[in-house]
Amino acid sequence: SQTIHQWPATLVQPVGSPLSLECTVEGTSNPNLYWYRQAAGRGLQLLFYSVGIGQISSEVPQNLSASRPQDRQFILSSKKLLLSDSGFYLCAWSVHQVSNEKLFFGSGTQLSVL
Amino acid sequence: ILNVEQSPQSLHVQEGDSTNFTCSFPSSNFYALHWYRWETAKSPEALFVMTLNGDEKKKGRISATLNTKEGYSYLYIKGSQPEDSATYLCAPWRGGADGLTFGKGTHLIIQP
């Protein structure tokens, strides 16, 4: 069966510090991968998605970047965090290139930038 | 960016009562509509994926309907139980691999 791992669960970082959140998927090949964020008082916002190794698309301009160094690994990074980067980050995967497939979410990372 | 509206934003329902809430989305370029349940301290979990106008899906006491022509979906919960307390998210899919656009959700609290 497929599983998705996301870590860390919580993170408190000072403004200007770097960030690295990691997500890995097991039990499937070539998944679509996604990073979502929920900021306070807002809905889930799509940040990045990837349909394959090294292929990253960004939905919104921001202080963050994403990378997919391996088929089932998705990393969210920042060189210098801003206060506005605080929020709850969720990684998700879906079956590759199949329409109407549901998303499977990781357990999330609560990021507080102080 | 798709405009997805969910109402109400929050809802308090007495245990045993039935309830429903709404998701509105642009009817153009529609491919599918997803519903997710997000319980506190857990990950969002898919309830339904609906594609056809007039579609109705059911999972236990929870059901959903879809009107793609006018751009709305209803989620119904029959005989609410405490374990139904969660945020319910809807998300239309517009095709492609670029993920779903989520509404802000309806936060449902079931009061014993």
Side-chain angles (χ1 to χ4, degrees), chain A residues 24-102:
Chain A
T24 59
V25 180
E26 295 177 0
T28 188
S29 296
N30 201 18
N32 290 340
L33 294 172
Y34 307 88
W35 279 111
Y36 281 88
R37 175 175 65 198
Q38 185 177 43
R42 301 187 65 179
L44 275 178
Q45 181 186 34
L46 179 64
L47 301 176
F48 299 96
Y49 67 94
S50 171
V51 298
I53 295 174
Q55 300 178 62
I56 309 293
S57 297
S58 174
E59 283 290 295
V60 293
Q62 58 202 300
N63 183 43
L64 303 168
S65 61
S67 62
R68 185 170 177 173
Q70 298 180 47
D71 181 42
R72 288 167 288 178
Q73 184 185 27
F74 206 23
I75 298 171
L76 184 70
S77 305
S78 173
K79 291 182 180 177
K80 288 186 179 181
L81 283 168
L82 305 171
L83 286 173
S84 57
D85 292 323
S86 293
F88 190 71
Y89 289 80
L90 279 165
C91 179
W93 73 272
S94 69
V95 175
H96 182 68
Q97 296 292 358
V98 177
S99 63
N100 306 330
E101 282 299 316
K102 57 189 177 185

Side-chain angles (χ1 to χ4, degrees), chain B residues 40-61:
Chain B
T40 304
K42 294 186 177 180
S43 309
E45 199 172 282
L47 287 172
F48 306 113
V49 178
M50 308 170 76
T51 55
L52 300 175
N53 185 44
D55 235 359
E56 184 168 342
K57 299 258 183 177
K58 191 174 180 182
K59 186 176 182 179
R61 294 178 292 98

